[in-house]
């Protein structure tokens, strides 16, 4: 007891001393370190590195209980295959969980869980003889480890008798045994340990050691007779070194496999069959609603109850969210988790608000927000889910459902690949719920998912729209305002209404003639536009058709249209007060200076009048104010771009289209059906409106009936693969053992559809081979035989260059205006004719030109089925036919790439609208014999006059001189084409009297051979993306991101952590560009990675930023050149153009603490675009901060943290109203 008492007294004394030091710190001595610090000596012990702790047990005891009583019967020792597996080393679901403090998004050092639908790697195959990539443990051992320059060689030579040749091994017989573990587990330990009275563990030996008899299939032994038992065992013992033992823990019976092979991976459910016994089949629902469910919703719930994946395709407001809510409710019941993904952040915020009202345990994960990350229901963007999958997040373990909303967004060119990556990488236990608008190929898309994940997908599609749509044309005739119906609620076209609209438009004051070379986008004055809008809104208000959404395809036009109607007041005094109170409540959360921003003040005034604006240039908090007021019915007139229809689910009573043509970044074109339906579908509120009203404003002209029919009545756009290879994807897959790029590519939607075409290509190759065998290689002509082949090859080069030039020219605004004279070869013409452009339209990737041209009877021997033949035959000399009679003209449609031979410099004045209307009228049998109208005859005379002026040799358009294009590559192509055309005149074959006949024979033969070569290439390269993949891998090797064995190096590990421009940012980090710069300067330079507006004003940069900009551009040129040299199809100039520094000055000042009000005069970029750019910049700063930790640069890590904190303030990072 005495020693214990001494210890207690000592502790008590130490406690009193500690308390005194804490309460009276003046007594501490800071200058005498010898009294305040202790040095504990450490004795070196190098031998510790040779001492290892015991390895974990690889077996455990499993209890056996009586199923009826639960009584413990026995213990069995079972193997634990997951022992020692961690998130850093294994893709198995049985691996040890990560540390508790690991983020919900996982860690970049983790490996992902194994994707479902791909066979997991099993034990190493032992059949080394027939495997060309197998390892011969005797002769194929390498002496240099991966990543080492030198190795070790063991020179001991085996005896000649001990060496076994490859031919000897190939002659040995092999036996393949498939082991069904489920059968083995049915046996007792005694049965497995003893066979025929002999212990088999001493008998059965394998190449790599002892093979336990538990690995043998009992069925193999049972086939032997009792007296043959010993012989069977001896046979197995002597030949076990040649066995292929295939272990498959999840092995299914052969009968089950046969059924799966015969069963389709996608099945369309008949939603017309009523589910009469629904409540008997689902007696206790996970969630109920206060209304009766539709049939398609019941069908989906039945599948979800059986944990089957579904693809629900329905129109807007049809009730797809019910299916998502039920999946979430099921996960709550099962104590699992659900992830709800959306394509855009705004929709994620809105869904968080909606689901938070329905379910309690809901979380939100976006780029800059993380709320309740441990929730059972997590809402996030698809990019966040992809990051979680690649980073091996433990959240995936508990995941029961992933809900993909707005699946048709997979058609997005830039981000569609994310959907495919996520669907491929999802583990097998995760159920899939797909929600989409109606698309024509749902079954095809579902079949791809089912085939990829090896689970059946049930397609539940309802084409019925809950609120039918009626489509109208609005024509303002003086003071008379009328709506003309063109599509009825039953979906049928109303030609009577269209004809009435044409008659009304003829007398309208807003109808102006379209003379001149250039057709303006809008020929009306501001006052005329204002009158049209006032008339339209007043009519809709009188018809009680408010609220209305006006879709406008320009941010500036949205703003100008709203300001133009500042005299319009659509709200009552009570509504004004509600709007004012709500706006003030939202705006008071901002700083005083931010509350006085011009955009904020302007929006407050417009909202009080019931007018709102919604587009990407509006501040995010103001967009949410508009959305919430619109939901409450306080915004009566909303001007929005098409992004409002893509993400925000807020229907209106009426939808108005300011125009049905848009500029898609390349050229003006009509809306396609999918775009039109997506926006028009916002009309009609379920439960409030019997029909939805869709109106097209006809300002200066009425669209042609054929165009309206194609837009309104056409088929929706099919779901198409946008899969593309990225460096991040390649690096992520290289970090996963046993998962290759080929596994990812061949499971993409793009490659799966391509694989289905292989049998077709094989049949084509067979037919083409027969044609090549029967054709003659030469032409029986003394003049042509020697030079015709060379002439064809030069012609082919010339035509290819001309086609590439035309693509660039057609994408240039006003390059082919109304009135442009061109040379065409359409409608089976051998000789080209002049034509006048009347209309230019874009259909998918093809530009269609409607022209007025002279009639030209098809010449003898013309090959109309070969669309490029006229380009070849006229390569050396374009002799255009000059029309002689004014009556012999016609209107035809031509493909710009195939039918337009040349574009001339001439532009004539023509009334295109009247010419087209006159032609269309005379195509009707009743008016077939009517004489051409005055405008038609005038255009024909213009055509005749300009044709005679130019003669047979047209003045071709020079894109460099006449269009002012400064593209170096384009200039080079144009010069080369002119040189080749000049060279074509030197060939003797063109002097042959039968040149055209002989040349066509050569043309046809060469086209067959080229087609055969292309088909062979398609069959040989089973994966279309394989050449690009190899090129990108070579780029990574050249830049030292991977070594020659495709093992990740330091650069590769850094690039994996970066979400965009991974090569560029990694190079800048490792070049130490940012080390000597201030945080604000680093943020300014990195803004070039996220700013995309090409038409903004240039920034004024200081000397440090100018030097940094030059370094960035120099690095971009170096990377771009390496890519181009290795075969990546991106010109160096295009790669450099991605980096835009026009917002660098704004970001620099913002990072220095300048207020938002003071940075706005520095640029002409709209407020919302600036906010979005800075928010995306913060994501890059976080990536660079993580990369700095990886490379061991604490200085850069600290600067990135400071830069991120500097920009995350005030209105730019104001909290969303949906999460407050």
């Amino acid at each position: 007891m005495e020693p214990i008492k001494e210890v207690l007294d000592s502790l008590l004394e130490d406690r009193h001393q500690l308390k005194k030091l804490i309460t009276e710190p003046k007594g501490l001595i800071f200058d005498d370190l010898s009294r305040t610090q202790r040095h504990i000596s450490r004795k070196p012990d190098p031998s510790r590195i040779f001492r290892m702790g015991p390895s974990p047990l690889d077996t455990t005891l499993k209890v056996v209980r009586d199923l009826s009583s639960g009584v413990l019967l026995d213990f069995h020792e079972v193997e634990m295959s997951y022992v020692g597996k961690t998130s850093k080393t294994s893709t198995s679901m049985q691996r040890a969980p990560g540390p508790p403090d690991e983020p919900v998004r996982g860690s970049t050092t983790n490996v992902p869980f194994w994707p479902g639908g791909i066979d997991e790697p099993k034990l190493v195959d032992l059949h080394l003889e027939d495997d060309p990539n197998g390892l011969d443990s005797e002769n194929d051992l390498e002496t240099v480890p991966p990543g080492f320059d030198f190795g070790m060689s063991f020179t001991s030579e085996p005896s000649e008798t001990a060496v076994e040749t490859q031919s000897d091994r190939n002659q040995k017989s092999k036996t393949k045994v498939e082991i069904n573990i489920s059968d083995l587990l049915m046996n007792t330990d005694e049965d497995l340990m003893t066979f025929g009275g002999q212990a088999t563990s001493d008998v059965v030996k394998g190449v790599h050691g002892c093979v336990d008899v538990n690995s043998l299939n009992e069925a193999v032994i049972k086939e032997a007779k009792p007296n043959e038992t010993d012989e069977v065992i001896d046979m197995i013992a002597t030949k076990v070194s040649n066995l292929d033992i295939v272990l498959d823990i999840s092995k299914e019976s052969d009968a089950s496999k046969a059924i799966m092979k015969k069963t389709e991976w996608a099945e369309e459910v008949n939603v017309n069959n009523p589910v009469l016994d629904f409540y008997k089949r689902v007696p206790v629902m996970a969630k109920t609603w206060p209304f009766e469910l539709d049939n398609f919703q019941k069908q989906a719930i039945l599948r979800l109850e059986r944990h089957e994946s579904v693809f629900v395709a329905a129109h807007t407001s049809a009730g797809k969210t019910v299916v998502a809510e039920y999946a979430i409710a099921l996960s709550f019941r099962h104590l699992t988790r659900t992830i709800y993904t959306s394509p855009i952040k705004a929709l994620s915020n809105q869904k968080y608000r909606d689901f938070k009202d329905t379910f309690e345990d809901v979380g939100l994960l976006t780029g800059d927000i993380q709320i309740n990350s441990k929730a059972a229901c997590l809402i996030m963007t698809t990019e966040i889910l992809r990051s979680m999958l690649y980073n091996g997040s433990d959240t995936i373990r508990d995941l029961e459902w992933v809900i993909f909303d707005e699946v048709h967004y997979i058609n997005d060119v830039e981000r569609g690949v994310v959907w495919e990556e996520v669907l491929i990488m999802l583990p097998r236990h995760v159920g899939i719920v797909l929600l989409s608008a109606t698309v024509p190929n749902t079954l095809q898309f579902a079949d791809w998912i089912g085939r990829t994940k090896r689970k059946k997908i049930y397609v539940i599609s309802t084409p019925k729209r809950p609120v039918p749509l009626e489509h109208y044309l609005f024509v303002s005739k003086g003071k008379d305002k009328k709506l003309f119906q063109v599509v009825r609620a039953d979906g049928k076209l109303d030609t009577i209404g269209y004809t009435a609209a044409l008659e009304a438009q003829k007398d309208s004051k807003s109808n102006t003639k379209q003379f001149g070379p250039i057709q303006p986008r809008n020929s009306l004055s501001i006052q005329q536009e204002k009158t049209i809008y006032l008339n339209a809104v007043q009519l809709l208000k009188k018809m009680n058709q408010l609220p209305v959404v006006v879709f406008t395809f320009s941010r500036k036009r949205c703003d100008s249209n709203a300001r133009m109607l500042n005299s319009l007041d659509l709200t009552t005094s009570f509504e004004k007060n509600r709007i004012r109170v709500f706006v003030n409540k939202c705006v008071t959360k901002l700083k005083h200076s931010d509350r006085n921003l011009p955009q904020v003040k302007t929006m407050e005034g417009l909202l009080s009048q019931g007018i709102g604006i919604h587009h990407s240039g509006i501040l995010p908090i103001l967009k949410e104010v508009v959305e919430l007021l619109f939901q409450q019915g306080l915004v009566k007139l909303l001007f929005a771009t098409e992004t409002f229809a893509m993400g925000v689910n807020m229907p209106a009573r009426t939808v108005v289209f300011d125009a049905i043509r848009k500029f898609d970044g390349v050229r003006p074109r009509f809306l396609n059906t999918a775009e039109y339906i997506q926006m028009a579908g916002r009309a009609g509120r379920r439960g409030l409106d019997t029909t939805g009203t869709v109106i097209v404003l006809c300002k200066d002209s009425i669209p042609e009936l054929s165009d309206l029919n194609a837009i309104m009545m056409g088929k929706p756009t099919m779901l198409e693969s946008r899969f593309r290879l990225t460096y991040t994807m390649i690096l992520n897959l290289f970090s996963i053992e046993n998962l290759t790029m080929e596994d990812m590519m061949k499971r993409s939607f793009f490659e799966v559809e391509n694989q289905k075409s292989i049998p077709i290509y094989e049949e084509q190759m067979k037919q083409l081979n027969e044609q090549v065998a029967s054709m003659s290689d030469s032409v029986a002509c003394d003049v042509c035989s020697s030079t015709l082949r060379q002439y064809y090859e030069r012609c082919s080069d010339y035509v290819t260059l001309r086609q590439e030039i035309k693509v660039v020219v057609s994408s240039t605004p006003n390059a082919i205006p109304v009135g442009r004279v061109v040379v065409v070869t359409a409608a089976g013409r051998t000789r080209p004719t002049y034509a006048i452009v009347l209309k230019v339209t874009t259909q998918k990737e093809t530009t269609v030109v409607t022209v007025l041209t002279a009639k030209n009877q098809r010449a003898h021997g013309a090959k109309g089925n070969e669309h490029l033949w006229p380009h070849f035959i006229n390569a050396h000399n374009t002799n255009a036919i000059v029309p002689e009679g004014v009556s012999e003209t016609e209107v035809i449609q031509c493909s710009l790439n195939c039918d337009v031979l040349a574009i001339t410099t001439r532009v004539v004045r023509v009334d295109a609208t009247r010419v087209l209307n006159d032609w269309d009228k005379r195509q009707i049998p009743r008016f077939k014999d009517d004489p051409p109208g005055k405008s038609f005859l005038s255009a024909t005379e213009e055509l005749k006059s300009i044709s005679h002026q130019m003669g047979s040799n047209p003045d071709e358009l020079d894109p460099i001189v006449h269009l002012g294009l400064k593209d170096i590559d384009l200039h080079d192509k144009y010069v080369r084409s002119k040189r080749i055309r000049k060279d074509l005149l030197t060939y003797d074959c063109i002097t042959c009297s039968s040149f055209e006949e002989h040349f066509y024979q050569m043309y046809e033969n060469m086209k067959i051979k080229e087609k055969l070569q292309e088909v062979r290439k398609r069959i040989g390269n089973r994966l279309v993306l394989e050449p690009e993949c190899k090129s990108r891998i070579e780029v990574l090797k050249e830049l030292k991101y991977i070594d020659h064995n495709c093992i990740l190096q330091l650069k590769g590990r850094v690039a994996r952590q970066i979400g965009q421009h991974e090569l560029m940012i990694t190079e800048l980090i490792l070049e130490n560009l940012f080390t000597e710069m201030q945080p604000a300067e680093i943020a300014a330079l990195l803004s070039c990675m996220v700013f995309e507006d090409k038409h903004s004003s240039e920034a004024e940069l200081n000397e440090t930023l100018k030097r940094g900009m030059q370094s960035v551009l120099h690095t971009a040129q170096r990377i771009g050149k390496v890519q181009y040299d290795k075969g990546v199809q991106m010109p160096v100039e295009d790669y450099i153009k991605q980096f835009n520094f026009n917002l660098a000055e704004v970001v620099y000042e913002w990072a220095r603490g300048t207020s938002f009000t003071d940075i706005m005069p520095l640029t002409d970029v709209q407020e919302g675009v600036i906010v979005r750019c800075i928010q995306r910049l913060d994501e890059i700063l976080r990536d660079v901060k993580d990369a700095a930790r990886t490379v061991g640069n604490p200085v850069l890590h600290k600067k990135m943290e400071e830069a991120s904190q500097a920009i995350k303030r005030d209105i730019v990072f104001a909290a969303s109203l949906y999460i407050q």
Side-chain angles (χ1 to χ4, degrees), residues 132-152:
N133 298 320
L135 176 65
D136 186 344
S137 58
E138 296 292 336
N139 303 317
D140 292 342
L141 295 179
E142 295 193 10
T143 59
V144 181
F148 283 64
D149 295 330
F150 303 97
M152 181 177 294

Side-chain angles (χ1 to χ4, degrees), residues 750-751 753-765 768 1010-1027:
F750 176 79
E751 293 289 358
E753 292 304 309
N754 178 68
Q755 294 299 311
K756 294 180 180 179
S757 304
I758 295 297
I760 300 176
Y761 291 141
E762 290 175 344
E763 181 64 26
Q764 288 182 356
M765 186 174 68
L768 291 171
E1010 290 171 3
K1011 180 66 175 177
L1012 177 59
Q1013 185 178 2
E1014 179 183 351
V1015 171
R1016 283 176 176 170
K1017 185 177 180 181
R1018 285 289 185 92
I1019 296 175
N1021 294 333
R1022 294 280 176 165
L1023 297 176
V1024 177
L1025 295 174
E1026 186 175 2

Side-chain angles (χ1 to χ4, degrees), residues 394-581:
D394 277 334
T395 304
I396 306 299
R397 294 177 183 271
D398 305 329
L399 202 56
E400 182 177 6
W401 300 102
V402 171
I403 303 168
F404 294 90
D405 199 4
E406 307 284 348
V407 174
H408 50 273
Y409 206 84
I410 197 173
N411 286 343
D412 184 75
V413 176
E414 294 296 325
R415 300 173 58 203
V417 61
V418 180
W419 270 255
E420 294 192 51
E421 280 188 83
V422 170
L423 286 168
I424 294 172
M425 292 298 297
L426 279 177
R428 66 161 57 183
H429 73 277
V430 180
I432 300 173
V433 178
L434 305 161
L435 308 178
S436 171
T438 54
V439 290
N441 62 331
T442 52
L443 197 63
Q444 178 191 21
F445 188 75
D447 181 72
W448 163 68
I449 298 176
R451 195 175 302 276
T452 301
K453 310 308 294 181
R454 295 185 183 176
K455 61 173 67 176
K456 182 174 287 189
I457 309 294
Y458 290 89
V459 178
I460 301 172
S461 180
T462 170
K464 181 181 178 182
R465 186 179 291 277
V467 182
L469 299 181
E470 296 179 339
H471 303 257
Y472 295 86
L473 300 179
F474 177 82
V475 179
S476 180
K477 181 183 176 182
K479 296 183 179 180
D480 190 13
K481 304 171 289 291
K482 288 187 178 181
L483 289 177
F484 300 93
Q485 190 176 50
V486 289
V487 178
R488 300 193 296 266
D490 58 3
K492 294 183 179 180
L493 200 64
D494 189 345
T495 56
I496 298 177
Y498 179 78
T499 304
L502 285 177
E503 294 297 328
Q505 183 71 11
K506 288 181 180 179
D507 301 327
S508 175
K509 294 182 180 180
S510 62
N511 184 25
T512 57
K513 297 182 179 180
Q514 296 182 5
F515 290 106
I518 298 176
Q519 185 180 16
R521 182 182 65 179
N522 191 350
S523 59
L524 300 180
S525 65
I526 296 179
Q527 185 58 41
Q528 287 175 318
E529 284 229 21
K530 180 177 180 179
T531 302
I532 292 176
Y533 268 108
L534 289 174
N535 291 340
V537 174
Q538 290 172 3
L539 176 62
L540 293 175
K541 185 178 181 180
K542 182 179 179 181
M543 297 170 60
N544 194 25
Q545 287 294 322
L546 299 180
V548 55
V549 178
V550 181
F551 284 107
T552 308
F553 306 113
S554 166
R555 297 197 302 262
K556 291 183 179 180
R557 286 188 59 79
C558 277
D559 297 338
S560 62
N561 287 344
R563 289 193 298 266
M564 183 175 61
L565 301 179
N566 55 3
S567 61
L568 190 63
D569 195 347
L570 301 174
T571 56
T572 64
S573 57
F574 176 73
E575 291 174 332
K576 291 181 188 297
N577 184 59
R578 287 182 59 190
I579 294 171
R580 190 177 300 109
V581 170

Side-chain angles (χ1 to χ4, degrees), residues 573-636:
S573 57
F574 176 73
E575 291 174 332
K576 291 181 188 297
N577 184 59
R578 287 182 59 190
I579 294 171
R580 190 177 300 109
V581 170
F582 181 80
V583 173
N584 289 337
K585 181 181 178 181
C586 298
V587 173
T588 50
K589 303 177 185 297
L590 304 176
K591 286 179 58 177
H592 179 73
S593 60
D594 293 337
R595 291 198 292 263
N596 293 322
L597 284 170
Q599 191 178 91
V600 175
K601 292 298 182 182
T602 301
M603 189 66 75
E604 287 179 354
L606 289 173
L607 289 174
S608 65
Q609 299 173 249
I611 302 174
I613 308 174
H614 191 287
H615 57 71
S616 60
I618 302 297
L619 290 166
I621 191 171
L622 292 183
K623 286 200 294 185
E624 293 181 350
V625 168
V626 172
E627 292 167 8
L628 293 172
L629 288 176
F630 188 83
Q631 286 180 340
Q632 301 175 39
L634 297 177
V635 173
K636 314 293 184 179

